[in-house]
Amino acid sequence: MLSAKYLDLLGQKYDSEEKVATEIINLEAILELPKGTEHFVSDLHGEFQAFQHVLRNGSGNVKVKIRDLFKDEMQEEELNEFATLVYYPEEKLPLIKSNFNNTVELHECYIDILERMMKLVSYASSKYTRSKLRKALPKQFVYIIEELLYKSDEYKNKKDYYTKIVQQLISLGQADKLIIGLAYTIQRLVVDHLHVVGDIYDRGPHPHKIVDTLIDYHSVDIQWGNHDVLWIGAFAGSKVCLANILRISARYNNLDIIEDVYGINLRPLLNLAEKYYEDNPAFRPKRNSEITLTEQEQLQITKIHQAISIIQFKLESPIIKRRPCFDMEDRLLLEKVDYDKNEVTLHGKTYSLENTCFATINPEQPDELLEEEKQVMDKLLLSVQHSEKLARHMKFLMKKGSLYLKYNGNLLIHGCIPLDEEGNMEQMEIEGKSYAGRDLLDVFEQYLRYAFAHPEETDDMATDMAWYLWTGEYSSLFGKREMTTFERYFIKEKETHKERKNPYYHLREDEEMCRKILAEFELDPDNGRIINGHTPVKEREGENPIKANGKMIVIDGGFSKAYQPTTGIAGYTLLYNSYGMQIVAHQHFNSKEEVLINGTDVLSVKRLVDEELERKLVRETNIGEVLQQEITILNSLREYRYMK
Ligand SMILES: O=P(O)(O)OC[C@H]1O[C@](O)(COP(=O)(O)O)[C@@H](O)[C@@H]1O
Ligand SMILES: [Mn+2]
């Protein structure tokens, strides 16, 4: 029962019976609309250009709508050209205009474009309420667009009507702005809600631009990836997470993100690196087609890369020692090295080390940081925690993100649910209590939120847990026995590089297993699915992203350029509209410029995951549930106020 106080308060907003009734009618009507389109992406890894392309074309959805409407009146080339205009209006419009050298033809062209844009807006918004459409319209043109949208049919001579308006718009210098605004409205209408299933950061050059785009996006949630948590952990005060993000940034030649984008001063680290390190082939930055480095620059990065890697290895050790529950003693590698012989013994086998850079290591106490190293890390952490831009981005990740999400009956999670070989949820004991399955994930998330809320605490369990989430065996984001970073740098034998995956990654092929996991999260195993990112699907080797009879969908197809040779494609995305689910395999995306000039879109291959027997309505969604609760409350208000 709702309290009288609550209803009185609500009564202030709905202060007449008609207002209550109107709202109930409105909500009931919305429940009968088809469900909005959900768009899933994952493992973006800083590839902003490819990401924004997929976002702008709604994984091919914009093109589908254009084709539906105009296939009879436009040739393929023209369809492509129009689609490109919708994706990149600011850049495409001048290109189109440059084809005309007299104003009469140009005006004709404007009229055609506007007419088509209006048709497309109307079509793409057909499953929304007018109020929702209004919110998606460019503010300054709402009035004029609504005029055109809702009145156009009444005019017999539509052409004249458009001509008049367009002439006015052109002479007042507003036509371009209107077209650009409409293009963004269309982009927004084709996707109702976006899910980012983890790993926005690392490897690629522009994760910050992805986050900026997401901040402005109309409706989005994030399931953190291990790389995102690494950044969150660094901001929350974990020096080992910080060392990792710097190491990866050096490795992928992305230190600009740290310095120029987030304004973190790397000078102290560079000074240290210059003092102790030389060139070293194992630490040269990966080639990046966008930036060419001078020899001098490459050498500097190589030195920084070594300095920060050694700091990272040293920082891992005290955490492993103070957290027996992490069960990571195997990873105390600096202690296993024979510094005279330059060898290491792992699982009983001795390997010689190459490309070593142990100048700052004291063999008696290998994990001890030099005073200089300590100071460098203190300064870096201070700088990180004072970066306003980073703070804004990390707060956004915390606000919109979670470790997993239950949404419209599906379970969204970046990595895995840690399992044993028999398919039981793995137990992990933390501070004297045992957790497994959903409870384990919930407790991980609580720790991460605590660490984020207490950035001044740097060595507590919560902050250490952020690092565990990056690299721990039972981390739902990592899900491998160990991360063999040390071995990859220093040992030739490939057998030591292997990272053994949690049994989850093969057991998830089994439908029964997926059903069990869905049930663990109180989702309906008959209708729900698990949606994963994290492990690149090797399409090239015939791996199928749709597993376990459709109960499991893995959408990491490798936006990351560095991983495309492995996957053979340029990323998967998933669309879930009222008719069902479709997975989209994207072919290589070269550049926006190429799309603009050639009008060719990245070819996307769609595969049906499932077709709904009946069109799914808003009523059956999470939002529908909320609306139904609101209706119940409004009905209570109605009875309380107006039916006595
Ligand atoms: O190829 P890189 O950049 O050296 O990274 C390798 C590391 O990345 C990881 O795959 C984690 O990153 P992902 O989440 O993208 O898989 C580790 O398991 C592995 O040690
Ligand atoms: Mn990942």
Side-chain angles (χ1 to χ4, degrees), residues 272 276 314 359-361 368-375:
L272 176 94
Y276 290 100
K314 288 185 179 184
T360 69
I361 293 180
E368 195 177 50
L369 289 171
L370 296 183
E371 192 49 39
E372 300 156 87
E373 290 173 319
K374 242 187 246 158
Q375 282 180 12

Side-chain angles (χ1 to χ4, degrees), residues 598-628:
N598 302 333
T600 45
D601 208 347
V602 201
L603 291 173
S604 323
V605 184
K606 284 196 184 182
R607 264 170 269 174
L608 206 61
V609 179
D610 191 25
E611 230 168 345
E612 298 287 343
L613 294 174
E614 277 176 47
R615 220 173 161 188
K616 231 187 172 64
L617 304 180
V618 172
R619 183 181 291 284
E620 300 155 82
T621 65
N622 280 21
I623 290 174
E625 215 171 287
V626 175
L627 298 184
Q628 286 175 67

Side-chain angles (χ1 to χ4, degrees), residues 63 67 71 74-82 599:
K63 191 73 135 302
R67 189 163 282 133
K71 59 179 179 312
M74 285 197 227
Q75 298 294 317
E76 193 61 24
E77 204 178 309
E78 221 184 333
L79 286 172
N80 283 338
E81 174 124 308
F82 186 60

Side-chain angles (χ1 to χ4, degrees), residues 435-485:
Y435 304 90
R438 186 177 179 184
D439 290 341
L440 180 60
L441 270 58
D442 286 338
V443 81
F444 282 152
E445 180 159 339
Q446 282 161 22
Y447 277 117
L448 192 70
R449 293 202 182 275
Y450 181 93
F452 192 79
H454 298 85
E456 70 294 346
E457 292 178 39
T458 59
D459 298 326
D460 62 322
M461 177 60 117
T463 311
D464 290 348
M465 198 58 94
W467 176 66
Y468 185 82
L469 282 172
W470 160 244
T471 191
E473 179 179 10
Y474 295 147
S475 155
S476 56
L477 302 183
F478 180 54
K480 298 178 193 166
R481 178 66 188 95
E482 64 274 283
M483 198 176 281
T484 57
T485 313

Side-chain angles (χ1 to χ4, degrees), residues 242-253:
L242 173 55
N244 265 288
I245 65 173
L246 296 171
R247 179 184 65 77
I248 297 170
S249 300
R251 178 169 162 76
Y252 281 87
N253 186 15

Side-chain angles (χ1 to χ4, degrees), residues 529-551:
R529 295 166 210 286
I530 304 171
I531 294 153
N532 266 178
H534 189 50
T535 46
V537 176
K538 294 173 184 155
E539 171 118 352
R540 168 164 291 164
E541 292 171 17
E543 188 180 349
N544 190 347
I546 306 166
K547 301 174 189 297
N549 202 13
K551 288 282 137 208

Side-chain angles (χ1 to χ4, degrees), residues 43 45 198-199 203 225-227 414-415 470 477-478 533-535 556:
D43 297 270
H45 285 300
D199 279 355
R203 301 200 180 113
N226 45 339
H227 290 270
H414 177 70
W470 160 244
L477 302 183
F478 180 54
H534 189 50
T535 46
D556 180 4

